[in-house]
Short mmCIF file of all heavy atoms in Angstrom, two decimals:
data_model
loop_
_atom_site.label_atom_id
_atom_site.label_comp_id
_atom_site.label_asym_id
_atom_site.label_seq_id
_atom_site.Cartn_x
_atom_site.Cartn_y
_atom_site.Cartn_z
N MET A 1106 0.84 -1.19 -0.01
CA MET A 1106 -0.01 0.00 -0.01
C MET A 1106 0.91 1.23 0.00
O MET A 1106 1.97 1.23 0.47
CB MET A 1106 -0.91 -0.01 1.21
CG MET A 1106 -1.88 -1.13 1.21
SD MET A 1106 -3.17 -0.80 2.39
CE MET A 1106 -4.29 -2.09 2.04
N ALA A 1107 0.32 2.30 -0.51
CA ALA A 1107 1.15 3.51 -0.70
C ALA A 1107 0.57 4.69 0.04
O ALA A 1107 -0.58 4.70 0.43
CB ALA A 1107 1.20 3.80 -2.19
N CYS A 1108 1.43 5.69 0.20
CA CYS A 1108 1.00 6.96 0.77
C CYS A 1108 0.65 7.91 -0.39
O CYS A 1108 1.25 7.84 -1.44
CB CYS A 1108 2.10 7.57 1.60
SG CYS A 1108 2.36 6.72 3.17
N HIS A 1109 -0.34 8.72 -0.14
CA HIS A 1109 -0.76 9.66 -1.15
C HIS A 1109 -0.61 11.08 -0.59
O HIS A 1109 -1.09 11.36 0.50
CB HIS A 1109 -2.21 9.41 -1.54
CG HIS A 1109 -2.47 8.03 -2.01
ND1 HIS A 1109 -2.14 7.60 -3.26
CD2 HIS A 1109 -3.01 6.98 -1.36
CE1 HIS A 1109 -2.44 6.33 -3.39
NE2 HIS A 1109 -2.98 5.93 -2.23
N ARG A 1110 0.10 11.90 -1.32
CA ARG A 1110 0.33 13.28 -0.88
C ARG A 1110 -0.98 14.07 -1.07
O ARG A 1110 -1.55 14.09 -2.11
CB ARG A 1110 1.45 13.95 -1.67
CG ARG A 1110 1.60 15.41 -1.26
CD ARG A 1110 2.89 15.96 -1.65
NE ARG A 1110 3.80 15.57 -0.60
CZ ARG A 1110 5.10 15.87 -0.60
NH1 ARG A 1110 5.60 16.57 -1.61
NH2 ARG A 1110 5.88 15.54 0.34
N MET A 1111 -1.38 14.69 0.04
CA MET A 1111 -2.64 15.46 0.04
C MET A 1111 -2.37 16.95 -0.10
O MET A 1111 -3.28 17.70 -0.35
CB MET A 1111 -3.44 15.16 1.30
CG MET A 1111 -3.75 13.70 1.54
SD MET A 1111 -4.64 12.97 0.17
CE MET A 1111 -6.22 13.70 0.39
N GLY A 1112 -1.16 17.36 0.15
CA GLY A 1112 -0.78 18.76 0.07
C GLY A 1112 0.15 19.13 1.15
O GLY A 1112 0.83 18.28 1.73
N ARG A 1113 0.20 20.42 1.48
CA ARG A 1113 1.07 20.96 2.54
C ARG A 1113 0.23 21.85 3.46
O ARG A 1113 -0.62 22.56 3.01
CB ARG A 1113 2.21 21.80 1.94
CG ARG A 1113 3.23 21.00 1.17
CD ARG A 1113 4.29 21.92 0.65
NE ARG A 1113 5.64 21.48 0.39
CZ ARG A 1113 6.42 20.78 1.19
NH1 ARG A 1113 6.02 20.39 2.34
NH2 ARG A 1113 7.67 20.46 0.82
N VAL A 1114 0.60 21.80 4.71
CA VAL A 1114 -0.01 22.67 5.75
C VAL A 1114 1.14 23.35 6.44
O VAL A 1114 1.94 22.68 7.12
CB VAL A 1114 -0.91 21.89 6.70
CG1 VAL A 1114 -1.45 22.83 7.79
CG2 VAL A 1114 -2.04 21.25 5.99
N GLY A 1115 1.24 24.66 6.31
CA GLY A 1115 2.34 25.37 6.96
C GLY A 1115 3.70 24.87 6.54
O GLY A 1115 4.62 24.90 7.34
N GLY A 1116 3.84 24.44 5.29
CA GLY A 1116 5.12 23.94 4.79
C GLY A 1116 5.37 22.48 5.16
O GLY A 1116 6.39 21.90 4.74
N VAL A 1117 4.50 21.83 5.89
CA VAL A 1117 4.65 20.42 6.28
C VAL A 1117 3.86 19.56 5.23
O VAL A 1117 2.64 19.79 5.10
CB VAL A 1117 4.16 20.16 7.70
CG1 VAL A 1117 4.26 18.69 8.05
CG2 VAL A 1117 4.88 21.03 8.66
N PRO A 1118 4.53 18.63 4.60
CA PRO A 1118 3.76 17.76 3.68
C PRO A 1118 2.79 16.84 4.42
O PRO A 1118 3.10 16.32 5.47
CB PRO A 1118 4.89 16.90 3.02
CG PRO A 1118 6.08 17.02 3.88
CD PRO A 1118 5.95 18.33 4.67
N VAL A 1119 1.61 16.76 3.89
CA VAL A 1119 0.55 15.88 4.50
C VAL A 1119 0.34 14.73 3.55
O VAL A 1119 -0.02 14.94 2.37
CB VAL A 1119 -0.75 16.68 4.72
CG1 VAL A 1119 -1.84 15.77 5.25
CG2 VAL A 1119 -0.51 17.85 5.68
N GLU A 1120 0.61 13.52 4.10
CA GLU A 1120 0.36 12.30 3.28
C GLU A 1120 -0.59 11.40 4.04
O GLU A 1120 -0.62 11.38 5.25
CB GLU A 1120 1.71 11.60 3.06
CG GLU A 1120 2.70 12.40 2.28
CD GLU A 1120 4.02 11.66 2.11
OE1 GLU A 1120 4.26 10.62 2.77
OE2 GLU A 1120 4.86 12.15 1.31
N VAL A 1121 -1.39 10.64 3.24
CA VAL A 1121 -2.34 9.74 3.81
C VAL A 1121 -2.07 8.34 3.26
O VAL A 1121 -1.95 8.19 2.07
CB VAL A 1121 -3.79 10.14 3.51
CG1 VAL A 1121 -4.80 9.12 4.02
CG2 VAL A 1121 -4.12 11.54 4.07
N HIS A 1122 -1.90 7.40 4.15
CA HIS A 1122 -1.68 6.00 3.75
C HIS A 1122 -3.04 5.44 3.22
O HIS A 1122 -4.09 5.77 3.75
CB HIS A 1122 -1.17 5.16 4.92
CG HIS A 1122 -0.60 3.88 4.52
ND1 HIS A 1122 -1.35 2.73 4.43
CD2 HIS A 1122 0.68 3.54 4.15
CE1 HIS A 1122 -0.58 1.74 4.03
NE2 HIS A 1122 0.65 2.19 3.84
N SER A 1123 -2.95 4.60 2.23
CA SER A 1123 -4.16 4.08 1.60
C SER A 1123 -4.98 3.22 2.58
O SER A 1123 -6.17 3.03 2.39
CB SER A 1123 -3.86 3.32 0.37
OG SER A 1123 -2.84 2.36 0.58
N SER A 1124 -4.36 2.70 3.64
CA SER A 1124 -5.13 1.93 4.64
C SER A 1124 -6.02 2.81 5.52
O SER A 1124 -6.88 2.27 6.23
CB SER A 1124 -4.16 1.13 5.52
OG SER A 1124 -3.38 2.01 6.28
N ALA A 1125 -5.87 4.14 5.41
CA ALA A 1125 -6.73 5.03 6.18
C ALA A 1125 -8.18 4.85 5.79
O ALA A 1125 -9.07 4.99 6.64
CB ALA A 1125 -6.31 6.47 6.05
N ALA A 1126 -8.47 4.52 4.57
CA ALA A 1126 -9.87 4.32 4.11
C ALA A 1126 -10.46 3.13 4.86
O ALA A 1126 -11.64 3.18 5.27
CB ALA A 1126 -9.93 4.12 2.59
N ALA A 1127 -9.71 2.09 5.06
CA ALA A 1127 -10.22 0.92 5.82
C ALA A 1127 -10.47 1.30 7.21
O ALA A 1127 -11.44 0.88 7.84
CB ALA A 1127 -9.20 -0.24 5.70
N ALA A 1128 -9.57 2.11 7.81
CA ALA A 1128 -9.76 2.55 9.19
C ALA A 1128 -10.99 3.41 9.36
O ALA A 1128 -11.76 3.24 10.33
CB ALA A 1128 -8.51 3.29 9.67
N VAL A 1129 -11.26 4.28 8.39
CA VAL A 1129 -12.48 5.10 8.44
C VAL A 1129 -13.70 4.21 8.33
O VAL A 1129 -14.68 4.37 9.06
CB VAL A 1129 -12.45 6.17 7.31
CG1 VAL A 1129 -13.84 6.80 7.15
CG2 VAL A 1129 -11.43 7.22 7.59
N ALA A 1130 -13.67 3.20 7.47
CA ALA A 1130 -14.78 2.27 7.32
C ALA A 1130 -15.04 1.49 8.59
O ALA A 1130 -16.19 1.36 9.05
CB ALA A 1130 -14.53 1.32 6.14
N VAL A 1131 -13.99 1.02 9.24
CA VAL A 1131 -14.14 0.27 10.49
C VAL A 1131 -14.68 1.17 11.58
O VAL A 1131 -15.64 0.78 12.31
CB VAL A 1131 -12.81 -0.37 10.94
CG1 VAL A 1131 -12.90 -0.91 12.33
CG2 VAL A 1131 -12.43 -1.48 9.96
N LEU A 1132 -14.14 2.35 11.72
CA LEU A 1132 -14.66 3.28 12.76
C LEU A 1132 -16.12 3.65 12.49
O LEU A 1132 -16.94 3.74 13.44
CB LEU A 1132 -13.78 4.55 12.81
CG LEU A 1132 -12.51 4.46 13.59
CD1 LEU A 1132 -11.73 5.79 13.43
CD2 LEU A 1132 -12.79 4.22 15.05
N THR A 1133 -16.46 3.86 11.26
CA THR A 1133 -17.82 4.18 10.89
C THR A 1133 -18.78 3.09 11.32
O THR A 1133 -19.81 3.32 11.94
CB THR A 1133 -17.99 4.45 9.36
OG1 THR A 1133 -17.16 5.58 9.05
CG2 THR A 1133 -19.42 4.73 8.98
N ALA A 1134 -18.41 1.83 11.01
CA ALA A 1134 -19.21 0.66 11.36
C ALA A 1134 -19.33 0.51 12.86
O ALA A 1134 -20.39 0.17 13.37
CB ALA A 1134 -18.64 -0.59 10.73
N VAL A 1135 -18.21 0.69 13.58
CA VAL A 1135 -18.24 0.57 15.06
C VAL A 1135 -19.24 1.56 15.65
O VAL A 1135 -20.06 1.17 16.53
CB VAL A 1135 -16.83 0.78 15.63
CG1 VAL A 1135 -16.89 0.99 17.15
CG2 VAL A 1135 -15.96 -0.42 15.30
N PHE A 1136 -19.19 2.79 15.19
CA PHE A 1136 -20.15 3.78 15.73
C PHE A 1136 -21.57 3.51 15.25
O PHE A 1136 -22.53 3.61 16.04
CB PHE A 1136 -19.69 5.19 15.29
CG PHE A 1136 -18.57 5.68 16.16
CD1 PHE A 1136 -17.28 5.82 15.62
CD2 PHE A 1136 -18.73 6.01 17.52
CE1 PHE A 1136 -16.24 6.27 16.36
CE2 PHE A 1136 -17.68 6.46 18.26
CZ PHE A 1136 -16.43 6.59 17.71
N ALA A 1137 -21.75 3.19 13.96
CA ALA A 1137 -23.06 3.00 13.40
C ALA A 1137 -23.79 1.78 13.91
O ALA A 1137 -24.98 1.76 14.07
CB ALA A 1137 -23.03 3.00 11.89
N LEU A 1138 -23.03 0.73 14.15
CA LEU A 1138 -23.64 -0.54 14.57
C LEU A 1138 -23.58 -0.79 16.07
O LEU A 1138 -24.33 -1.60 16.62
CB LEU A 1138 -22.97 -1.71 13.81
CG LEU A 1138 -23.10 -1.69 12.32
CD1 LEU A 1138 -22.28 -2.78 11.71
CD2 LEU A 1138 -24.54 -1.79 11.87
N GLY A 1139 -22.63 -0.12 16.72
CA GLY A 1139 -22.46 -0.41 18.16
C GLY A 1139 -22.87 0.72 19.11
O GLY A 1139 -23.82 0.62 19.82
N LEU A 1140 -22.17 1.80 19.06
CA LEU A 1140 -22.39 2.87 20.01
C LEU A 1140 -23.63 3.73 19.79
O LEU A 1140 -24.41 3.95 20.71
CB LEU A 1140 -21.14 3.81 20.06
CG LEU A 1140 -21.20 4.91 21.04
CD1 LEU A 1140 -21.22 4.37 22.49
CD2 LEU A 1140 -20.00 5.85 20.89
N LEU A 1141 -23.84 4.17 18.57
CA LEU A 1141 -24.96 5.07 18.33
C LEU A 1141 -26.35 4.50 18.53
O LEU A 1141 -27.20 5.16 19.09
CB LEU A 1141 -24.82 5.69 16.94
CG LEU A 1141 -23.60 6.58 16.76
CD1 LEU A 1141 -23.40 7.02 15.30
CD2 LEU A 1141 -23.69 7.80 17.65
N PRO A 1142 -26.60 3.26 18.15
CA PRO A 1142 -27.93 2.66 18.42
C PRO A 1142 -28.25 2.58 19.93
O PRO A 1142 -29.37 2.61 20.34
CB PRO A 1142 -27.84 1.26 17.82
CG PRO A 1142 -26.87 1.39 16.73
CD PRO A 1142 -25.84 2.36 17.29
N VAL A 1143 -27.21 2.46 20.74
CA VAL A 1143 -27.42 2.39 22.18
C VAL A 1143 -27.65 3.77 22.77
O VAL A 1143 -28.48 3.96 23.64
CB VAL A 1143 -26.19 1.76 22.87
CG1 VAL A 1143 -26.30 1.82 24.38
CG2 VAL A 1143 -26.01 0.29 22.40
N THR A 1144 -26.92 4.79 22.30
CA THR A 1144 -27.04 6.12 22.85
C THR A 1144 -28.17 6.92 22.26
O THR A 1144 -28.58 7.90 22.89
CB THR A 1144 -25.71 6.88 22.68
OG1 THR A 1144 -25.40 6.96 21.29
CG2 THR A 1144 -24.60 6.19 23.46
N ALA A 1145 -28.62 6.61 21.04
CA ALA A 1145 -29.70 7.35 20.40
C ALA A 1145 -30.66 6.35 19.75
O ALA A 1145 -30.75 6.28 18.53
CB ALA A 1145 -29.17 8.33 19.37
N ALA A 1146 -31.35 5.57 20.54
CA ALA A 1146 -32.13 4.48 20.08
C ALA A 1146 -33.27 4.92 19.12
O ALA A 1146 -33.74 4.16 18.33
CB ALA A 1146 -32.74 3.70 21.23
N GLU A 1147 -33.70 6.14 19.25
CA GLU A 1147 -34.85 6.64 18.45
C GLU A 1147 -34.46 7.10 17.05
O GLU A 1147 -35.36 7.34 16.23
CB GLU A 1147 -35.59 7.76 19.17
CG GLU A 1147 -34.83 9.05 19.30
CD GLU A 1147 -33.71 9.06 20.33
OE1 GLU A 1147 -33.61 8.14 21.15
OE2 GLU A 1147 -32.90 10.00 20.29
N ALA A 1148 -33.23 7.23 16.77
CA ALA A 1148 -32.75 7.73 15.45
C ALA A 1148 -32.89 6.66 14.36
O ALA A 1148 -32.98 5.45 14.62
CB ALA A 1148 -31.32 8.22 15.56
N SER A 1149 -32.84 7.13 13.13
CA SER A 1149 -32.95 6.17 11.99
C SER A 1149 -31.59 5.49 11.74
O SER A 1149 -30.51 6.01 12.14
CB SER A 1149 -33.37 6.92 10.72
OG SER A 1149 -32.32 7.75 10.29
N ILE A 1150 -31.63 4.40 11.01
CA ILE A 1150 -30.43 3.65 10.68
C ILE A 1150 -29.49 4.52 9.81
O ILE A 1150 -28.28 4.52 10.01
CB ILE A 1150 -30.76 2.32 9.99
CG1 ILE A 1150 -31.48 1.37 10.97
CG2 ILE A 1150 -29.50 1.66 9.44
CD1 ILE A 1150 -32.08 0.14 10.35
N ALA A 1151 -30.09 5.24 8.87
CA ALA A 1151 -29.28 6.10 8.02
C ALA A 1151 -28.56 7.18 8.85
O ALA A 1151 -27.39 7.51 8.53
CB ALA A 1151 -30.17 6.74 6.97
N SER A 1152 -29.18 7.69 9.85
CA SER A 1152 -28.54 8.72 10.67
C SER A 1152 -27.39 8.13 11.48
O SER A 1152 -26.42 8.83 11.74
CB SER A 1152 -29.53 9.42 11.57
OG SER A 1152 -30.11 8.55 12.52
N TYR A 1153 -27.47 6.87 11.87
CA TYR A 1153 -26.40 6.24 12.56
C TYR A 1153 -25.19 6.17 11.65
O TYR A 1153 -24.05 6.46 12.09
CB TYR A 1153 -26.73 4.77 12.97
CG TYR A 1153 -27.82 4.66 14.02
CD1 TYR A 1153 -28.69 3.55 14.01
CD2 TYR A 1153 -27.98 5.60 15.02
CE1 TYR A 1153 -29.68 3.43 14.99
CE2 TYR A 1153 -28.99 5.49 15.98
CZ TYR A 1153 -29.86 4.37 15.94
OH TYR A 1153 -30.82 4.22 16.87
N TRP A 1154 -25.38 5.76 10.39
CA TRP A 1154 -24.27 5.68 9.47
C TRP A 1154 -23.70 7.02 9.12
O TRP A 1154 -22.47 7.23 9.04
CB TRP A 1154 -24.68 4.92 8.19
CG TRP A 1154 -24.81 3.46 8.45
CD1 TRP A 1154 -25.93 2.76 8.73
CD2 TRP A 1154 -23.73 2.51 8.52
NE1 TRP A 1154 -25.64 1.44 8.95
CE2 TRP A 1154 -24.32 1.25 8.82
CE3 TRP A 1154 -22.37 2.61 8.34
CZ2 TRP A 1154 -23.54 0.07 8.94
CZ3 TRP A 1154 -21.63 1.42 8.44
CH2 TRP A 1154 -22.16 0.24 8.75
N PHE A 1155 -24.54 8.00 8.92
CA PHE A 1155 -24.10 9.37 8.63
C PHE A 1155 -23.30 9.91 9.81
O PHE A 1155 -22.19 10.48 9.62
CB PHE A 1155 -25.30 10.26 8.31
CG PHE A 1155 -24.90 11.64 7.87
CD1 PHE A 1155 -24.35 11.88 6.63
CD2 PHE A 1155 -25.08 12.70 8.74
CE1 PHE A 1155 -24.02 13.16 6.23
CE2 PHE A 1155 -24.73 13.98 8.41
CZ PHE A 1155 -24.20 14.24 7.11
N ALA A 1156 -23.81 9.77 11.01
CA ALA A 1156 -23.13 10.28 12.20
C ALA A 1156 -21.81 9.48 12.42
O ALA A 1156 -20.79 10.06 12.84
CB ALA A 1156 -24.03 10.21 13.39
N GLY A 1157 -21.88 8.18 12.20
CA GLY A 1157 -20.67 7.36 12.38
C GLY A 1157 -19.54 7.80 11.45
O GLY A 1157 -18.42 7.87 11.82
N PHE A 1158 -19.91 8.12 10.21
CA PHE A 1158 -18.94 8.58 9.25
C PHE A 1158 -18.38 9.93 9.65
O PHE A 1158 -17.17 10.20 9.60
CB PHE A 1158 -19.56 8.68 7.84
CG PHE A 1158 -18.61 9.09 6.78
CD1 PHE A 1158 -17.55 8.26 6.43
CD2 PHE A 1158 -18.80 10.28 6.13
CE1 PHE A 1158 -16.64 8.66 5.43
CE2 PHE A 1158 -17.92 10.66 5.10
CZ PHE A 1158 -16.85 9.85 4.76
N GLY A 1159 -19.25 10.81 10.19
CA GLY A 1159 -18.80 12.11 10.64
C GLY A 1159 -17.85 11.98 11.83
O GLY A 1159 -16.81 12.69 11.86
N VAL A 1160 -18.15 11.09 12.76
CA VAL A 1160 -17.26 10.90 13.90
C VAL A 1160 -15.90 10.34 13.43
O VAL A 1160 -14.84 10.72 13.90
CB VAL A 1160 -17.93 9.97 14.97
CG1 VAL A 1160 -16.95 9.60 16.07
CG2 VAL A 1160 -19.14 10.67 15.56
N ALA A 1161 -15.95 9.37 12.52
CA ALA A 1161 -14.70 8.76 12.02
C ALA A 1161 -13.86 9.86 11.33
O ALA A 1161 -12.60 9.94 11.58
CB ALA A 1161 -15.00 7.67 11.02
N LEU A 1162 -14.46 10.77 10.55
CA LEU A 1162 -13.68 11.82 9.94
C LEU A 1162 -13.15 12.80 11.02
O LEU A 1162 -12.03 13.28 10.86
CB LEU A 1162 -14.55 12.58 8.93
CG LEU A 1162 -14.89 11.85 7.67
CD1 LEU A 1162 -15.71 12.72 6.75
CD2 LEU A 1162 -13.61 11.34 6.94
N ALA A 1163 -13.96 13.06 12.07
CA ALA A 1163 -13.49 13.90 13.12
C ALA A 1163 -12.29 13.32 13.86
O ALA A 1163 -11.39 14.04 14.27
CB ALA A 1163 -14.62 14.16 14.10
N VAL A 1164 -12.27 11.99 14.04
CA VAL A 1164 -11.16 11.35 14.67
C VAL A 1164 -9.87 11.55 13.83
O VAL A 1164 -8.82 11.90 14.32
CB VAL A 1164 -11.40 9.85 14.86
CG1 VAL A 1164 -10.14 9.08 15.22
CG2 VAL A 1164 -12.47 9.65 15.93
N PHE A 1165 -9.98 11.40 12.48
CA PHE A 1165 -8.86 11.60 11.66
C PHE A 1165 -8.43 13.06 11.59
O PHE A 1165 -7.22 13.34 11.50
CB PHE A 1165 -9.10 11.01 10.28
CG PHE A 1165 -8.75 9.53 10.23
CD1 PHE A 1165 -9.71 8.57 10.61
CD2 PHE A 1165 -7.51 9.11 9.85
CE1 PHE A 1165 -9.37 7.26 10.59
CE2 PHE A 1165 -7.19 7.77 9.87
CZ PHE A 1165 -8.12 6.84 10.22
N ALA A 1166 -9.39 13.95 11.64
CA ALA A 1166 -9.05 15.38 11.64
C ALA A 1166 -8.26 15.74 12.93
O ALA A 1166 -7.27 16.49 12.90
CB ALA A 1166 -10.27 16.24 11.56
N SER A 1167 -8.70 15.20 14.05
CA SER A 1167 -7.97 15.48 15.31
C SER A 1167 -6.58 14.84 15.30
O SER A 1167 -5.65 15.42 15.81
CB SER A 1167 -8.78 14.94 16.51
OG SER A 1167 -8.88 13.56 16.53
N LEU A 1168 -6.44 13.69 14.67
CA LEU A 1168 -5.14 13.07 14.52
C LEU A 1168 -4.23 13.93 13.67
O LEU A 1168 -3.05 14.15 13.98
CB LEU A 1168 -5.30 11.66 13.88
CG LEU A 1168 -4.00 10.93 13.59
CD1 LEU A 1168 -3.26 10.62 14.88
CD2 LEU A 1168 -4.31 9.61 12.86
N LEU A 1169 -4.77 14.50 12.56
CA LEU A 1169 -3.98 15.39 11.71
C LEU A 1169 -3.52 16.63 12.50
O LEU A 1169 -2.35 17.00 12.46
CB LEU A 1169 -4.80 15.82 10.52
CG LEU A 1169 -4.14 16.88 9.61
CD1 LEU A 1169 -2.84 16.36 9.01
CD2 LEU A 1169 -5.13 17.30 8.53
N LEU A 1170 -4.43 17.25 13.25
CA LEU A 1170 -4.06 18.37 14.06
C LEU A 1170 -3.00 18.09 15.11
O LEU A 1170 -2.05 18.86 15.32
CB LEU A 1170 -5.32 19.01 14.74
CG LEU A 1170 -6.28 19.67 13.80
CD1 LEU A 1170 -7.56 20.07 14.57
CD2 LEU A 1170 -5.64 20.92 13.16
N HIS A 1171 -3.10 16.90 15.71
CA HIS A 1171 -2.15 16.46 16.69
C HIS A 1171 -0.77 16.36 16.09
O HIS A 1171 0.25 16.83 16.64
CB HIS A 1171 -2.60 15.13 17.26
CG HIS A 1171 -1.62 14.47 18.18
ND1 HIS A 1171 -1.57 14.75 19.53
CD2 HIS A 1171 -0.64 13.57 17.97
CE1 HIS A 1171 -0.62 14.08 20.08
NE2 HIS A 1171 -0.01 13.32 19.18
N GLU A 1172 -0.67 15.72 14.90
CA GLU A 1172 0.61 15.51 14.23
C GLU A 1172 1.16 16.84 13.71
O GLU A 1172 2.39 17.05 13.75
CB GLU A 1172 0.45 14.51 13.09
CG GLU A 1172 0.16 13.10 13.57
CD GLU A 1172 1.12 12.58 14.64
OE1 GLU A 1172 2.35 12.87 14.51
OE2 GLU A 1172 0.69 11.89 15.55
N LEU A 1173 0.30 17.75 13.27
CA LEU A 1173 0.78 19.06 12.87
C LEU A 1173 1.34 19.87 14.06
O LEU A 1173 2.30 20.62 13.89
CB LEU A 1173 -0.32 19.83 12.15
CG LEU A 1173 -0.68 19.37 10.78
CD1 LEU A 1173 -1.95 20.08 10.26
CD2 LEU A 1173 0.45 19.52 9.79
N ALA A 1174 0.78 19.64 15.21
CA ALA A 1174 1.30 20.28 16.45
C ALA A 1174 2.69 19.74 16.73
O ALA A 1174 3.61 20.51 17.11
CB ALA A 1174 0.35 20.07 17.60
N HIS A 1175 2.92 18.44 16.54
CA HIS A 1175 4.28 17.88 16.73
C HIS A 1175 5.24 18.57 15.75
O HIS A 1175 6.34 18.93 16.16
CB HIS A 1175 4.26 16.38 16.43
CG HIS A 1175 3.76 15.56 17.54
ND1 HIS A 1175 4.38 15.44 18.78
CD2 HIS A 1175 2.71 14.71 17.62
CE1 HIS A 1175 3.71 14.59 19.57
NE2 HIS A 1175 2.65 14.18 18.87
N ALA A 1176 4.83 18.71 14.50
CA ALA A 1176 5.68 19.35 13.51
C ALA A 1176 5.99 20.80 13.85
O ALA A 1176 7.14 21.23 13.72
CB ALA A 1176 5.04 19.27 12.12
N ALA A 1177 5.00 21.51 14.36
CA ALA A 1177 5.23 22.91 14.76
C ALA A 1177 6.20 23.02 15.92
O ALA A 1177 7.10 23.90 15.90
CB ALA A 1177 3.88 23.55 15.16
N VAL A 1178 6.05 22.16 16.92
CA VAL A 1178 6.99 22.18 18.01
C VAL A 1178 8.40 21.79 17.59
O VAL A 1178 9.40 22.41 17.98
CB VAL A 1178 6.52 21.26 19.18
CG1 VAL A 1178 7.56 21.08 20.25
CG2 VAL A 1178 5.21 21.80 19.76
N ALA A 1179 8.52 20.79 16.70
CA ALA A 1179 9.79 20.39 16.20
C ALA A 1179 10.47 21.53 15.48
O ALA A 1179 11.67 21.80 15.68
CB ALA A 1179 9.66 19.21 15.27
N ARG A 1180 9.74 22.24 14.64
CA ARG A 1180 10.29 23.37 13.92
C ARG A 1180 10.71 24.48 14.86
O ARG A 1180 11.70 25.14 14.66
CB ARG A 1180 9.34 23.89 12.91
CG ARG A 1180 9.24 22.97 11.74
CD ARG A 1180 8.48 23.63 10.60
NE ARG A 1180 8.62 22.75 9.44
CZ ARG A 1180 8.15 23.06 8.28
NH1 ARG A 1180 7.51 24.21 8.13
NH2 ARG A 1180 8.29 22.27 7.25
N ARG A 1181 9.93 24.68 15.89
CA ARG A 1181 10.23 25.75 16.86
C ARG A 1181 11.60 25.47 17.52
O ARG A 1181 12.34 26.39 17.84
CB ARG A 1181 9.13 25.77 17.94
CG ARG A 1181 9.41 26.59 19.17
CD ARG A 1181 9.40 28.07 18.84
NE ARG A 1181 9.57 28.91 20.03
CZ ARG A 1181 10.76 29.36 20.48
NH1 ARG A 1181 11.84 29.13 19.78
NH2 ARG A 1181 10.82 30.11 21.53
N TYR A 1182 11.93 24.23 17.72
CA TYR A 1182 13.20 23.83 18.37
C TYR A 1182 14.29 23.45 17.37
O TYR A 1182 15.30 22.86 17.73
CB TYR A 1182 12.97 22.74 19.38
CG TYR A 1182 12.25 23.24 20.61
CD1 TYR A 1182 10.87 23.03 20.75
CD2 TYR A 1182 12.91 23.95 21.58
CE1 TYR A 1182 10.19 23.54 21.86
CE2 TYR A 1182 12.25 24.48 22.69
CZ TYR A 1182 10.91 24.25 22.82
OH TYR A 1182 10.25 24.75 23.92
N GLY A 1183 14.02 23.74 16.09
CA GLY A 1183 15.06 23.52 15.06
C GLY A 1183 15.22 22.13 14.60
O GLY A 1183 16.22 21.77 13.98
N VAL A 1184 14.24 21.25 14.84
CA VAL A 1184 14.28 19.88 14.37
C VAL A 1184 13.56 19.81 13.04
O VAL A 1184 12.44 20.31 12.91
CB VAL A 1184 13.62 18.93 15.42
CG1 VAL A 1184 13.63 17.51 14.91
CG2 VAL A 1184 14.30 19.05 16.77
N GLY A 1185 14.18 19.20 12.05
CA GLY A 1185 13.58 19.06 10.72
C GLY A 1185 12.36 18.19 10.75
O GLY A 1185 12.30 17.21 11.54
N THR A 1186 11.41 18.49 9.90
CA THR A 1186 10.24 17.64 9.79
C THR A 1186 10.13 17.06 8.40
O THR A 1186 10.63 17.63 7.43
CB THR A 1186 8.96 18.45 10.10
OG1 THR A 1186 8.91 19.57 9.21
CG2 THR A 1186 8.90 18.91 11.50
#
């Protein structure tokens, strides 16, 4: 599997491994089939999947922000990224 360059943020290259799609699918299913039906039993099945996908994307967005913070601190202290 390969990494795909998505662009640059603040001069830091952002790459996504192709297995990230599988991770998003698994997280979506975990939320849509496990957690959300328990916490919001009155919602529709479609809303579980939509919300599960949104949560999975939010997890990856927070991961990206976390890693960009590492890059920012590294640059602040003169460490190459």
Side-chain angles (χ1 to χ4, degrees):
M1106 295 196 173
C1108 288
H1109 304 283
R1110 177 161 276 180
M1111 303 303 288
R1113 290 180 153 311
V1114 176
V1117 177
V1119 176
E1120 297 179 350
V1121 176
H1122 196 269
S1123 51
S1124 65
V1129 168
V1131 168
L1132 279 175
T1133 299
V1135 165
F1136 283 109
L1138 298 174
L1140 182 64
L1141 294 173
V1143 173
T1144 58
E1147 68 284 349
S1149 69
I1150 293 172
S1152 65
Y1153 295 148
W1154 285 97
F1155 184 74
F1158 183 65
V1160 172
L1162 290 180
V1164 168
F1165 275 86
S1167 68
L1168 178 63
L1169 174 63
L1170 289 173
H1171 174 86
E1172 294 304 324
L1173 288 172
H1175 281 296
V1178 170
R1180 286 191 172 185
R1181 168 71 176 94
Y1182 290 100
V1184 177
T1186 55

